[in-house]
Amino acid sequence: MTHAQDRALPRAVRQAMPMARDVLVEVAKLHGVCIRPIPLKRLDVVTGKSEIIDVPCGATLDSKCPPCAKRNKQLRKAQCREGWHLDAEPTITPDEANEEQRWLVEFRADIQAQRETAEKAGEDTTELDAIITGLDEEINAAGMRGNVLGRTASKRSRSTKRRQDAPDLPKRKMTNTTLGRTFQGTDGKTYRPSLFVTLTLPSYGKVRDGAPIDPDSYDYRRAARDALHFSKLVDRFVQNLRRVAGYDVQYFAAVEPQKRLAPHLHMAIRGTLPRAEIKQIAAATYHQVWWPQADEVLFEGEHMPVWQDGTGYLNPATGEVLPTWDQALDALDEDAEPLHVIRFGEQVDVQGVLAGTPDADQCIRYLSKYLTKSIGDALDGGQAQQQHAARMLDALRYEPCSPTCPNWLRYGIQPKDAKPGMHPGRCRGKAHKPEHLGYAGRRILVSRKWSNKTLAEHKQDRRTWVLEALGQADEPTDPHRYVWRPVPAGDANVPPLAVRLLRSVHERQRWRAHLRDLEARAAGQDLSATEDIGRAA
Ligand SMILES: [Zn+2]
Ligand SMILES: [Zn+2]
């Protein structure tokens, strides 16, 4: 063997070996350990000691952290089950902000400050924006209402409200309850029926295996706009549903991708209405998008509006200032047409479900089936479907996703909060991304009076259960004992990710071993408890 070969061998071996870090991530996943933990500094005000604690990322929408996504799915299932067939009015009292909520808000404030500094320095804020969006979702999930900035957006009460014509639907007198009717069976038993409803968007052209048969005639523009405004349509459906039902209908819904890459909705509804009425409501529900026109391209290629400090965007040829977002809205007069009108398709599925039946369990499983997948993840139909997704992305590229979308410049309007450096087709909004395909809203929609518990409380339930199984008391910690602080990126006190993952895996193994010990001592106990550790810890 020559010297050269000697040296070549280890390199070849090294290249064939999976990266140690990749293996570690796989091991962490197997143990249900968060693979993207957020380090936070926790100061114990009693002992004065501070330490770095890894908090699970709590990924809800994406599958970038499969263990957290999986754990969330379990929690959502519990939440869905809890509220569906309630037989007593839930008591909704805003709880005092708990520890988790407090650090989320503090953390959010800090990231917001970082974002502002970065923006002033002209740096890329994409990453920070993504964190802020994620945190806002977490803050809501932690049981707080609204968003921490409050309602800063000036509410335009102008004609836009009046223009949402009320659909022609029967209307019952409103009663102050969230519970559905019950029925007495001949056996004297009380039955509490509920509904499981599936709502779908209309057809944009015939599809086979998730791809259009004739891509040229498939209505991509409509598909794109429907996806962008889908959540508004769902809101309208709920409003109409409550009006017709005559009580404060509660729901737990999941927005999921169809094979043709359009969002659709599964909704568990507390209480029951005649099937025909649900279909009537779905058919009558629509939402009008009162935005300026976005059909006539005024600027493209090299011919782009130019920014002038203190003025805004100008027409490059004439030097004229382009209308601002508010001016463009004000210009929508009585004769204006909405930019888009969205309705459901004809496919409406309504299923009656009784509390505690296998049917109910089946529906709950169905509701959470795709939660760990993004809308774009419905792709599995091969090349035709890949091309379909690419065409859908093309259609979304120049559609304005929100009033602040840079795409408005293409149609001759200054986006809301216009700033230098905006380019049509380069919006970083979630809706334009392949994983979201137009739908940037929340995947799980839960009405306020669904159950007595917030997601955070469900988390707490599970933790308590596991600690009891371990024979440890889950003593409530003094809410003022710890002060949480974000750790700046690159802080030398935070060990490398690999080290932290190893620690978490080790901790998890220790718990499991401890649990197995307990089980060995109390023979005959249910072994399934072991699995719960992974989700709860
Ligand atoms: Zn995670
Ligand atoms: Zn956009």
Side-chain angles (χ1 to χ4, degrees), residues 34-36 57-58 65 68:
C34 173
I35 57 167
R36 311 170 83 202
C57 75
C65 179
C68 285

Side-chain angles (χ1 to χ4, degrees), residues 396-397 399-402 404-407 427-432:
L396 282 161
R397 184 162 181 212
E399 276 302 328
C401 67
S402 68
T404 55
C405 186
N407 287 350
C427 176
R428 289 193 173 120
K430 225 168 143 183
H432 303 281

Side-chain angles (χ1 to χ4, degrees), residues 40-46 49-53 99 102-103 106 478-486:
L40 289 174
K41 190 182 277 178
R42 189 182 73 174
L43 173 71
D44 186 333
V45 296
V46 177
K49 216 180 107 192
S50 90
E51 57 184 322
I52 306 270
I53 304 256
E99 197 185 339
R102 244 192 304 274
W103 75 251
E106 283 172 12
D478 171 3
H480 304 291
R481 176 158 180 186
Y482 299 115
V483 180
W484 296 85
R485 287 274 170 267

Side-chain angles (χ1 to χ4, degrees), residues 292-313:
Q293 75 80 26
D295 294 301
E296 195 192 334
V297 178
L298 298 183
F299 300 100
E300 62 182 332
E302 295 297 296
H303 183 59
M304 274 296 152
V306 286
W307 173 263
Q308 194 175 74
D309 281 336
T311 311
Y313 281 97

